[in-house]
Amino acid sequence: EATLDLAERRRIRSAIRELQRQELERDEEALASKRFRPERGSHRQDDKENWPQSRHLEEEQQAALAALSQQLEAITDVEELTKLLRAAGEYEERKLIRAAIRKLRSKEIEGEALSPCPRVAS
């Protein structure tokens, strides 16, 4: 913006584009080298040491989800399920609640479809 010469502005813009292109290439090379970097041995050792603890936490979470699933089976009100959905924090809990809502709504729709339609008097 400091120069009024259009040719000089073009050269500056092309130099800026070239620098940006080179920077992108360097970033891509850095990402590629990180992607294919071999895993460190100490990291694997950490995983082995923490495996029993993470396995225990996973089992606890599965048990809690199973209990939640049983509770959801007993609920027959969409509004109550919606309140639970808003209060839930974990992804898996929300997933179960949304599935229960869909199941309840499909039952309601089936019930409406099976009930006889009132006939219009002619």
Side-chain angles (χ1 to χ4, degrees):
E1 293 179 14
T3 183
L4 296 176
D5 185 24
L6 293 179
E8 188 177 356
R9 282 184 174 207
R10 283 189 200 112
R11 284 192 301 269
I12 292 170
R13 280 193 218 113
S14 67
I16 290 172
R17 281 193 296 272
E18 180 63 23
L19 288 172
Q20 288 172 337
R21 186 188 62 76
Q22 289 173 359
E23 186 178 359
L24 280 173
E25 286 177 357
R26 281 193 302 268
D27 290 346
E28 287 174 358
E29 289 173 7
L31 280 174
S33 68
K34 286 180 183 177
R35 275 190 208 126
F36 300 109
R37 186 179 301 157
E39 242 183 74
R40 295 186 183 133
S42 64
H43 178 68
R44 281 190 225 139
Q45 185 64 29
D46 289 342
D47 288 347
K48 286 181 183 177
E49 291 172 1
N50 293 328
W51 186 77
Q53 182 182 9
S54 65
R55 178 73 179 218
H56 180 68
L57 291 173
E58 184 178 320
E59 289 172 357
E60 285 180 355
Q61 184 181 21
Q62 291 298 325
L65 290 175
L68 176 64
S69 181
Q70 289 176 351
Q71 287 176 339
L72 295 176
E73 290 291 325
I75 299 173
T76 59
D77 184 27
V78 175
E79 292 300 319
E80 189 174 343
L81 288 172
T82 305
K83 287 178 187 176
L84 284 174
L85 179 63
R86 289 186 182 132
E90 294 292 321
Y91 170 76
E92 292 295 327
E93 290 175 1
R94 296 176 62 82
K95 185 176 168 182
L96 282 174
I97 296 168
R98 283 191 298 268
I101 290 172
R102 283 192 299 274
K103 187 176 178 181
L104 193 57
R105 286 187 177 154
S106 69
K107 284 181 182 178
E108 288 175 356
I109 291 171
E110 280 181 22
E112 290 173 4
L114 294 176
S115 65
C117 296
R119 296 190 180 214
V120 178
S122 321

